[in-house]
């Protein structure tokens, strides 16, 4: 029952109250009552939004030639200057804005140190839907994925509505197909792949509730499952080792995991130990030739760290001099291996579902690149990829590695090429879920492999 200016003074206090009281002229209040747009000012400066005093710019000078009822939000915002808004204030403003104002607000949020979240984007998408701005809505969806903002079914439905109203039929169909691929319950999560590697979007299209949003990389506090019985898969070697080490604690938290001994994972994931495993099993002929002395290497050859992914610190060496220079600078920090360069534009990756070394299921992707001599992904472009079969004798060799390492259990992959004479050459194995599974294996095939995992590992 108290007057509004007393309420503001008691809640905001300090400089904020003084600035607000400056706005409380009688004529200002009369105009505010006559205009719905004036409610935006309270959304920004209202007492319920100010838990504690915040710096506020002085009130704008009164301009009789510019009636308040004609003020746009942009004019109000620019006149009052930058304010450290609470997210709730931004939500209110976004909900009341047209599509142009909403897009501008997303930029203003970043300038003020607030990262727009799912709610912010969904409100902006709603504004685009009302205006029929399909291309702008589609671009917001792409931006959400690019900036790793949780993109939900609400965002897609708003964007689809915007495309339909704006008669952007191809964009509407594209977004509808993607949302349909998420499955009948797009919010249900049955599998988590960690750590996050920007694989979430292609994984969701498998339609079985698999996500890639957990940041846990094997270090620090163990993650909590969204519900008891959710699967956890590693996407990096360090995480695979951590899952093996903390298997009991993860299961106690409610995770379902498939793993094996730490030693088995290390033999397959460390490239130097993988070579030693091949020697112990009499399978050295299936690997590139390894050079223990740089003076005996055949150039060009490849130098890479024993541990690592994505071709980091991996080089094609063209001379002994270059090899010794790289070895000097990199060898001080990392254990290096030097091996034969297998040429050819085609490379293969086969993902496997295994139980104690036995292969239960597999899927192979063939990649074609624009060079014969390369180390992916460094200075090479992918021309295309396709799903291909795997010969029985090649699967048998992979199984010998898996059994010989101690009986691997879980999802892994092998990367390999073929020599000109048709011999298969494995240059690494990865005891974790790979990028081929996330991106390139046909989604129905990936869905089938996860269904088989559910069946075998109940």
């Amino acid at each position: 029952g108290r007057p509004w200016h007393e309420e503001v003074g008691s809640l905001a206090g300090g400089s904020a109250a003084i600035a607000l009281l400056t706005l409380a002229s009688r004529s200002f209040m009369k105009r505010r009552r006559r205009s719905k747009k004036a409610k935006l000012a309270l959304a920004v400066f209202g007492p319920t939004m100010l838990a504690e005093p915040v710096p506020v710019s002085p009130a704008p000078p009164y301009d009789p030639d510019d009636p308040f009822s004609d003020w746009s939000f942009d004019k109000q915002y620019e006149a009052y200057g930058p304010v450290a808004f609470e997210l709730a204030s931004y939500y209110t403003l976004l909900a009341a804005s047209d599509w142009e104002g909403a897009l501008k607000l997303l930029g203003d949020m970043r300038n003020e140190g607030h990262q727009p979240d799912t709610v912010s984007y969904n409100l902006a998408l709603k504004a685009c839907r009302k205006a029929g701005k399909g291309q702008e809505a589609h671009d917001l969806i792409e931006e959400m994925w690019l900036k790793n903002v949780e993109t939900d079914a609400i965002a897609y439905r708003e964007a689809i509505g915007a495309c339909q109203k704006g008669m952007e039929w191809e964009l509407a169909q594209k977004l509808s197909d993607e949302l349909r691929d998420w499955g009948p319950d797009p919010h249900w999560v049955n599998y988590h792949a960690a750590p996050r590697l920007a694989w979430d979007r292609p994984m969701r299209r498998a339609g079985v509730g698999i996500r890639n949003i957990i940041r846990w990389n094997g270090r620090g506090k163990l993650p909590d499952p969204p519900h008891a019985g959710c699967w956890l898969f590693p996407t990096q070697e360090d995480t695979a080792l951590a899952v093996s080490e903390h298997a009991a604690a993860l299961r106690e938290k409610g995770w379902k995991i498939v793993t094996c001994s730490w030693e088995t994972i290390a033999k397959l994931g460390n490239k130097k130990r993988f070579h030693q495993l091949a020697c112990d099993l009499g399978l050295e002929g299936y690997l590139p030739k390894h050079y223990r002395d740089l003076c005996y290497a055949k150039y060009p050859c490849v130098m890479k760290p024993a541990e690592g992914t994505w071709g980091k610190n991996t080089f094609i060496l063209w001379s002994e001099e270059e090899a010794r220079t790289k070895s000097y600078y990199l060898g001080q920090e990392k254990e290096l291996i030097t091996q034969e360069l297998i040429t050819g534009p085609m490379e293969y990756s086969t993902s496997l579902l295994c139980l104690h070394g036995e292969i239960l299921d597999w899927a192979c992707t063939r990649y074609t690149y624009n060079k014969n001599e390369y180390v992916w992904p460094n200075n090479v472009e992918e021309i295309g990829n396709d799903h291909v079969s795997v010969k029985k004798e090649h699967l048998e060799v992979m199984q010998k590695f898996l059994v010989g390492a101690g009986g691997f259990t879980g999802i892994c992959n092998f990367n390999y090429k073929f020599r000109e004479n048709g011999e298969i050459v494995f240059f690494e194995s990865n005891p974790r879920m790979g990028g081929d599974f996330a991106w390139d294996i046909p989604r129905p095939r990936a869905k089938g492999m996860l269904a088989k995992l559910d069946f075998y590992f109940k």
Side-chain angles (χ1 to χ4, degrees):
R2 291 192 300 171
W4 77 272
H5 59 275
E6 293 182 11
E7 192 72 26
V8 170
S10 64
L11 290 174
S15 59
I18 296 173
L20 289 167
L21 289 173
T22 306
L23 302 176
S25 67
R26 183 174 300 173
S27 59
F28 175 84
M29 291 302 298
K30 288 181 180 179
R31 287 192 297 272
R32 186 183 65 82
R33 295 189 188 98
R34 291 198 304 265
S35 173
K36 290 183 179 180
K37 291 184 179 179
K39 294 180 181 179
L40 292 174
L42 277 182
V44 179
F45 300 109
T48 58
M49 297 300 179
L50 299 175
E52 56 185 36
V54 296
V56 181
S57 301
Y62 171 67
D63 184 358
D65 297 326
D66 187 14
F68 185 83
S69 59
D70 293 332
W71 277 25
S72 67
F73 164 73
D74 289 343
K75 289 182 180 179
Q76 296 178 49
Y77 184 77
E78 291 169 4
Y80 283 92
V83 179
F85 294 120
E86 298 288 339
L87 274 177
S89 299
Y90 277 112
Y91 296 159
T92 304
L93 294 170
L94 284 162
S97 297
D98 60 14
W99 72 275
E100 291 178 306
L103 295 184
K104 183 178 184 299
L105 267 171
L106 294 179
D108 292 341
M109 289 179 71
R110 299 187 192 95
N111 294 336
E112 293 295 330
H114 294 294
Q115 178 61 40
D117 59 2
T118 303
V119 175
S120 306
Y121 275 101
N122 285 354
L123 289 170
L125 285 163
K126 184 176 182 180
C128 290
R129 175 180 59 78
K130 290 180 178 179
K133 294 296 179 179
Q135 184 63 59
E136 288 77 6
H138 175 269
D139 292 345
L140 282 178
I141 292 290
E142 296 298 323
E143 183 178 303
M144 291 177 75
W145 285 114
L146 184 64
K147 295 183 179 297
N148 290 320
V149 177
E150 172 69 15
T151 310
D152 58 14
I154 296 173
Y156 270 77
R157 288 168 184 149
E158 295 287 3
I160 292 168
C163 293
Q164 291 173 339
K165 188 171 183 179
M167 293 187 290
E168 299 278 359
W169 305 119
E170 290 185 7
L171 293 179
Q173 188 63 50
K174 175 185 174 183
L175 293 172
S176 297
D177 290 344
E178 185 171 0
L179 180 59
R180 190 180 300 110
D181 287 345
W182 290 5
D185 188 353
H187 297 292
W188 174 254
V189 181
N190 197 35
Y191 312 90
H192 268 296
R196 186 171 73 178
L197 296 173
W199 293 355
D200 192 46
R201 189 175 192 176
M203 280 186 163
R204 294 192 79 171
R205 301 197 73 162
V208 291
I210 182 169
R211 303 297 306 275
N212 179 227
I213 56 177
I214 294 179
R215 295 181 180 273
W216 184 66
N217 61 359
R219 295 183 288 273
K221 181 183 177 182
L222 299 179
D224 294 316
H227 58 84
C230 183
W231 287 96
L232 178 64
F233 302 122
T235 60
Q236 294 282 272
E237 277 77 9
D238 289 347
T239 314
L241 292 168
V243 169
S244 175
E245 181 180 355
H246 302 291
L250 288 167
R251 290 191 176 106
E252 187 175 347
K253 277 181 167 286
W255 288 106
K256 291 170 69 175
I257 59 173
V258 283
T259 188
C260 50
S261 72
W262 192 96
E263 184 68 17
T264 296
I265 295 172
K267 285 181 180 179
L268 294 170
N270 183 290
K271 297 173 182 63
K272 190 169 185 177
R273 298 190 67 174
F274 183 60
H275 178 257
Q276 185 59 52
L277 173 67
C279 295
D280 295 342
L281 297 174
L283 302 174
E284 187 177 4
Y286 290 101
L287 271 59
K289 296 177 182 177
H290 277 232
Y291 304 117
R292 293 181 174 83
D293 195 321
L294 296 177
C295 65
Y296 296 116
K298 180 181 179 181
Y299 297 93
C301 62
V302 174
M303 177 178 287
K304 58 184 177 181
E307 297 179 342
T309 55
W310 309 108
K312 185 177 181 180
N313 293 320
T314 301
F315 304 94
I316 296 178
L317 305 174
W318 299 93
S319 66
E320 182 180 343
E321 180 181 1
E322 182 185 7
R324 294 195 181 280
T325 301
K326 295 289 187 185
S327 179
Y328 175 78
Y329 287 107
L330 295 177
Q332 298 182 42
E333 300 180 359
K334 301 180 179 294
E335 185 180 25
L336 301 174
I337 60 174
T338 306
Q339 65 184 34
E340 173 190 7
L341 172 66
I342 307 299
T343 61
M346 292 184 181
E347 187 172 317
Y348 299 77
S349 182
T350 296
S351 283
L352 307 165
L353 174 63
C354 310
L355 174 62
H356 305 311
E358 179 187 356
I359 297 175
L360 305 176
D361 200 1
W362 64 90
C364 180
T365 305
R366 177 175 59 191
Y367 299 89
T368 304
Y369 297 98
N370 65 340
K371 292 182 179 179
N372 284 324
E373 298 174 335
Y374 67 90
V375 175
W376 182 88
N378 303 324
N379 302 315
V380 67
E381 294 182 8
E382 181 184 326
I383 298 175
N385 66 73
D386 54 340
H387 183 57
V388 297
S389 61
V390 184
K391 290 184 177 181
K392 181 180 178 181
E393 55 264 32
H394 296 156
L395 287 172
E396 290 173 350
V397 176
M398 296 181 210
Q399 185 159 299
K400 288 179 181 178
F401 279 110
L402 296 168
V403 173
F408 178 81
T409 295
I411 295 177
C412 66
N413 73 11
F414 282 82
N415 295 333
Y416 54 93
K417 282 188 171 186
F418 290 95
R419 300 184 191 275
E420 292 182 358
N421 61 5
E423 293 178 350
I424 191 170
V425 183
F426 299 97
F427 42 85
E428 65 180 15
S429 65
N430 299 297
R432 40 83 177 177
M433 187 174 284
D436 60 321
F437 189 97
W439 288 91
D440 303 314
I441 293 175
R443 298 300 82 186
R445 192 71 191 83
K447 182 177 181 179
M449 188 176 291
L450 291 174
K452 189 170 288 188
L453 178 140
D454 281 327
F455 176 80
Y456 278 101
F457 297 94
K458 290 180 180 178

